[in-house]
Structures are given as C-alpha cells and as structure tokens.
Amino acid sequence: MMAAVPLSSASLLPLLKCLEDEAAGLSEKTDAYITIANRLNGEEGRQFLPVVVKHFARLGKVLLVHISSENEELCQAALQALGLCVFHSHIVSVLPANISEDILSTLCNVVVKSKEKFTCTRALWVISKQNFPPEVASKKTPEILKSLEAMQTREVQSILIEHESLNVIIRLLEQAPSQMAAGAVCWAKLVIPLVVHSANKVRLRAAAALELGMPLLLEKQQEVATIVEPMMSSMLIPEMQKLFASKNETNMLKLWPLFVRLLGKLLHKGGAFINSLLYLEELGFRNSSPNIKKIAFIAWKSLIDNFALNPDILCSSKRLKLLMQPLSSIQVRTETLLLTKLEVWWYLAVKLGPNLSANFEQVGVPLLHNTLPSDSPLPSPTTPARTSNPSNGTPNTPKSGIPSCSTPSITPRMNLNSSMQAAQSYRSIQLLGLEMLLHWLVGPEVTVTAARENLQLSLEPLTHPLFTSPSSFSRHASTLISAVKEGFITVGKHAPGIQHNLHNVAWI
C-alpha cells in the first residue's frame, strides 16, 4: 500500500487568502469553509491535515471572527470547519493555551447569544468534539456550564440542542472531572430532567451522562439529593411510570438504582415518596419477561446498599421485611433468573454483617428453602403461603392505578404475594446452597479453607461470623444439620463426582 503524500500549501492558501480578505463576499467565505471541512472529512483528509496544522495560526484567527458572524450561513460553515480542526489532536497540539481558551469562550458566547437553533447546536457540537488539553478544558468548564444553564432558559430549545448539551457534559466529565465535581449541582439540574425526555435518544444520552458522572455526583450527594427529591415527586416518578407503561421497562429499571444512590438517606424517612419509587420496582417484578425481572432483582441491590448506610435502618423489622418481600415471594421458573435472585439474597445476608445471626431465621432459613428444598420443610418462622396463580406461577395481577407521590403513608411497602416457593432441582442452585452452608459454618475464614481444600467459591465471603458462641450455634443447629444432610442427598443424586467437596463441607 502506497503511503499518503501530503498535499502542498497550495491546497489551503487560496482558501485562507479568501477568508482573510475583507473585500471577499460572504458566500465566497462560506464556500471556502465548506471546502476546508470537506477536505478534512473526506478521502484526502490525511494528506490535507498537515497543511492545516502548518497554517492554523492564520486560519484560527479568521475562525474566531467568523464563528461569531451575524450571517448564519457563514457562522455555521465556520463552526463546522472549526469542529473538524479541534477534533484532530495534531492541530490542537500546536495551539497556545490562550488561543484554545479564546476558542472555548467564543463558542460559549455563541451558545448563549445565538437565536438560531442550528447555530447553537453546531457550537455545542464543536465543544463536545474538541480535544483541547485537560488543563484548558478544566479552566473553561465553569464558563461552559454557565452557558448551558443560561441556554436552558431561552426559547431555542430543541431535541438536537438538548442532545448536544448532553454530549458536552459527557465530554467535560471525561476531560475535567475535578471541575465537574465542583459543579455537580449545576449540571445535575441540566441532566436529570432529561432522563424522562420524550425523545428516546435524549433519554439514553442523559442516562449515560448520569451514570458516567455518578461518582462525582456522590461527592456532593447531600446537595444533589436536595434538588433531586422535589424533582422525583413532581416530575420524575410520574414520567418514569408512564415510560414504563410504554415499553421502556429496561431503561427505567436501570435508572432506578441511580436515583436510589443519589437520594441516599432521604429514603430512610419512609412515607409516600419511597412507596411511589418502590412501585416502579414492583412493576418490574410483576413483569412477565424474565429479562425485566432480572434487571429488577439487580436494581434491588441498590436499595439494600441504601439501607445499609445505616445498620439500624437495614436491621429494622419494617425495612428488612420490605427487602425480603421480592426475594421470598417472587416465583421464578428459569435457572438464570433463580441464580440472580439468590445472588441478591446472599448480598443482603452479607450486608447484614454482625446482625445476620439475629436475623437468620428471617433471611437465612428461607434462603435454604430456596436452595436445598426437602420433602420435610426446614424449621422456619414464615407464614403459610397464599395461593398463587397456578397457570403461570407469577404473582397476582397488580391493582390498577398508579400511586401518587402525595398520598399519605408511613411504612414503605410493595404489593407482592408473600408466598414461599421451593427451588427447582437445578444442580447449580443446590451447589450454591452447599456453598452458603460452607460460608455460614466457617465464616470469613472460608477463603482460607477453600484454598486449602481446593474449593472454587462463587459467593462473596461474610464479613462477620454467623456464630459467635455455642449458644448462637445451638439456636440454628437443627436447621443447618438438616440442610447439610439434604445437600449431601440431593447433590449426590445429580453429581456423584462432587463427593470430595461434600466431604469437605461435612468435615467443616
């Protein structure tokens, strides 16, 4: 393959002379910029780029003038050429910092003052595509955010503008994380309402920005939560419910844990606010699609994390009952979904830490029911199961209507059946049950035991031992012994070769 031969300066200098000539017509200058843009973006771009690099000191001066032109065609053509120039690191690398800063400031001015939607969109596009050094982007981030904030109050809004605004925020998150952390409240106000935008492309981009910027938002969690809470009640939850009903279940359920993380301890207050938020998860758990159910279970971990911010909240009877409700009552039929549910259930057990022993009958015993079912039920304090729908094994149809965020309520709740389901005889589930027994019997030192006995673990170890005294073991001895016995029998039927691992468990 032949190497690309750089074009001579003659390919740019006539165009540059036209742009610098005050007597040249606006249409001629517009055509010159279009030609430059086409060459940079076309087949001869690689050959044309070194020429632009060589003469960008001159080209940059006229670009700064023309991107502020009152003639929209000239302005837009100049913006297109500028965007392609500052995208290339070869060009940006020859620019002094002050010129780069001037370009960004001028672009911000165009965003704020332009009355033409397409001009505003193109200026935002240039900012989102630029590859200026991080120190330049960081210095100008506050100014860029202010321009985005000012633009939001004007009448030039459009789907394209909102989409490019989000691209700008994402670019700044990549280039200037420290400055974006400082301005978290500002850009959160811009991004969060757009996650329920009517246009799908805007919703998805806003969700991407929110997820990318989540670590920075959490640095200012209390301040951000203060602005998010009123948005949730007045707009976000109602719109999320509408979008959920219009076949956007996956996206809404993926947003759910982001808001749970942002709201933090505000969710500990209970009441109608959290119930309205919980209703979205309830819709996911009730959905007939196994994939939607799986996403709902994974999202549920965020509420476990949220309550774990305060161990007293996590261990309160009302909160623990709430966390257990979908785990113990949602009936699933596929192995993959059952594994997901049990992994989330185990996640709760680990998060309970030193309080697992006190709550073992509520959390651990029904977990054994779901992993190592036996003909003789394990001792359990759970209530008898209510009759579920025999035709499909899913919970009863939810009550009609969408709960209002303003409806008075005290206890967080979900309207799910409180039925208990024995696990299907999947070998993977039974092996998971045996591993849970190993963790419970050995405690945090299980990794040492596993290494010594050559066992492969798939679950996160406990942070605290389940048993701290002979009396604490005695309370659960009959349950655990029955489960170990059942594990030997059931897994032995399906996998005789696993006897070595079973002997290890028995020895523990």
Side-chain angles (χ1 to χ4, degrees):
M1 184 176 179
M2 294 182 62
V5 179
L7 296 176
S8 69
S9 296
S11 61
L12 176 64
L13 289 178
L15 300 171
L16 191 52
K17 185 177 180 181
C18 172
L19 294 171
E20 292 173 330
D21 186 357
E22 294 183 3
L26 295 177
S27 61
E28 292 176 287
K29 293 180 178 179
T30 301
D31 290 342
Y33 280 125
I34 292 173
T35 301
I36 291 172
N38 288 339
R39 287 182 179 174
L40 278 172
N41 204 34
E43 294 181 358
E44 58 183 12
R46 291 177 62 189
Q47 300 98 302
F48 189 58
L49 183 59
V51 181
V52 176
V53 172
K54 182 178 179 181
H55 298 284
F56 194 78
R58 290 172 61 189
L59 179 59
K61 290 180 181 179
V62 290
L63 277 168
L64 274 174
V65 174
H66 292 147
I67 62 174
S68 299
S69 172
E70 293 182 0
N71 182 278
E72 295 297 340
E73 290 185 0
L74 175 60
C75 174
Q76 291 169 16
L79 285 168
Q80 184 179 9
L82 176 61
L84 292 170
C85 287
V86 297
F87 172 75
H88 287 288
S89 57
H90 294 86
I91 297 176
V92 169
S93 64
V94 302
L95 288 178
N98 65 313
I99 299 299
S100 300
E101 292 168 13
D102 287 346
I103 290 173
L104 286 174
S105 292
T106 306
L107 288 167
C108 288
N109 192 52
V110 173
V111 168
V112 172
K113 295 185 177 180
S114 176
K115 297 178 182 179
E116 172 59 42
K117 293 181 180 180
F118 193 72
T119 299
C120 188
T121 302
R122 186 155 284 184
L124 292 168
W125 170 77
V126 177
I127 299 173
S128 73
K129 294 298 181 183
Q130 51 78 25
N131 275 303
F132 292 128
E135 57 271 19
V136 172
S138 296
K139 185 175 181 179
K140 305 308 290 185
T141 290
E143 184 178 350
I144 296 171
L145 291 179
K146 285 181 181 178
S147 68
L148 295 178
E149 196 172 25
M151 184 188 61
Q152 194 179 40
T153 62
R154 298 171 58 215
E155 297 180 357
V156 294
Q157 289 299 308
S158 70
I159 291 174
L160 289 176
I161 287 177
E162 289 163 331
H163 189 261
E164 284 303 334
S165 296
L166 292 166
N167 286 336
V168 168
I169 289 171
I170 289 173
R171 185 68 184 120
L172 293 177
L173 287 169
E174 296 167 344
Q175 285 184 299
S178 296
Q179 287 295 327
M180 290 297 278
V185 174
C186 174
W187 62 263
K189 291 178 183 178
L190 303 174
V191 170
I192 290 174
L194 297 181
V195 299
V196 291
H197 195 279
S198 58
N200 185 56
K201 65 181 290 186
V202 174
R203 287 199 305 273
L204 293 178
R205 208 62 183 141
L210 187 61
E211 187 170 9
L212 180 63
M214 183 59 63
L216 306 183
L217 292 172
L218 292 177
E219 291 182 21
K220 301 275 187 176
Q221 190 271 327
Q222 291 186 342
E223 296 172 53
V224 174
T226 301
I227 66 166
V228 171
E229 184 179 18
M231 285 189 202
M232 295 296 292
S233 300
S234 63
M235 175 185 65
L236 293 172
I237 291 177
E239 291 301 317
M240 288 173 73
Q241 290 171 345
K242 291 177 186 177
L243 288 165
F244 198 105
S246 59
K247 307 301 181 183
N248 289 283
E249 304 98 326
T250 298
N251 293 334
M252 294 304 102
L253 287 173
K254 288 182 177 180
L255 279 177
W256 197 84
L258 301 182
F259 285 123
V260 169
R261 292 179 69 189
L262 282 179
L263 290 165
K265 292 183 179 181
L266 284 178
L267 289 181
H268 297 179
K269 297 187 299 183
F273 173 64
I274 186 173
N275 285 330
S276 298
L277 192 62
L278 288 171
Y279 182 71
L280 291 168
E281 271 288 272
E282 183 180 333
L283 293 174
F285 288 130
R286 292 182 180 279
N287 196 279
S288 60
S289 166
N291 186 51
I292 298 300
K293 273 192 171 75
K294 181 176 181 178
I295 296 171
F297 275 119
I298 294 172
W300 198 242
K301 292 174 70 175
S302 64
L303 191 63
I304 296 173
D305 285 330
N306 180 281
F307 288 171
L309 293 172
N310 183 341
D312 292 335
I313 291 291
L314 180 63
C315 297
S316 72
S317 59
K318 291 179 180 178
R319 298 307 196 283
L320 200 53
K321 182 179 179 182
L322 170 65
L323 292 174
M324 280 295 299
Q325 195 171 354
L327 301 175
S328 61
S329 66
I330 298 296
Q331 299 187 13
V332 299
R333 298 302 186 191
T334 67
E335 181 180 10
T336 301
L337 187 53
L338 187 53
L339 279 170
T340 299
K341 183 179 84 163
L342 295 175
E343 287 168 2
V344 175
W345 201 329
W346 180 256
Y347 188 76
L348 171 59
V350 172
K351 284 293 181 179
L352 283 168
N355 298 303
L356 175 59
S357 181
N359 295 283
F360 187 73
E361 289 189 346
Q362 186 176 358
V363 177
V365 172
L367 182 52
L368 287 176
H369 275 293
N370 275 257
T371 55
L372 296 169
S374 63
D375 294 333
S376 302
L378 298 172
S380 171
T382 55
T383 56
R386 292 206 300 251
T387 304
S388 60
N389 188 341
S391 62
N392 57 17
T394 57
N396 295 333
T397 304
K399 297 177 182 179
S400 61
I402 295 175
S404 167
C405 294
S406 59
T407 303
S409 179
I410 298 176
T411 306
R413 66 188 187 280
M414 299 180 78
N415 295 319
L416 299 172
N417 281 351
S418 57
S419 58
M420 182 61 65
Q421 174 202 15
Q424 300 286 339
S425 297
Y426 295 117
R427 185 185 307 173
S428 60
I429 302 302
Q430 294 161 347
L431 290 174
L432 202 63
L434 278 180
E435 185 180 332
M436 290 176 183
L437 285 168
L438 182 65
H439 283 274
W440 284 331
L441 291 168
V442 179
E445 298 300 317
V446 69
T447 52
V448 177
T449 301
R452 184 179 66 240
E453 303 295 338
N454 197 28
L455 295 174
Q456 296 293 322
L457 301 178
S458 59
L459 296 171
E460 179 184 355
L462 298 174
T463 57
H464 294 76
L466 177 61
F467 310 115
T468 55
S469 66
S471 61
S472 64
F473 176 79
S474 298
R475 285 201 303 271
H476 309 299
S478 61
T479 298
L480 294 170
I481 292 171
S482 297
V484 170
K485 185 187 301 182
E486 190 62 34
F488 271 67
I489 296 171
T490 55
V491 177
K493 292 177 183 177
H494 298 291
I498 205 171
Q499 290 297 322
H500 176 67
N501 287 357
L502 290 175
H503 283 304
N504 287 335
V505 176
W507 178 78
I508 295 299

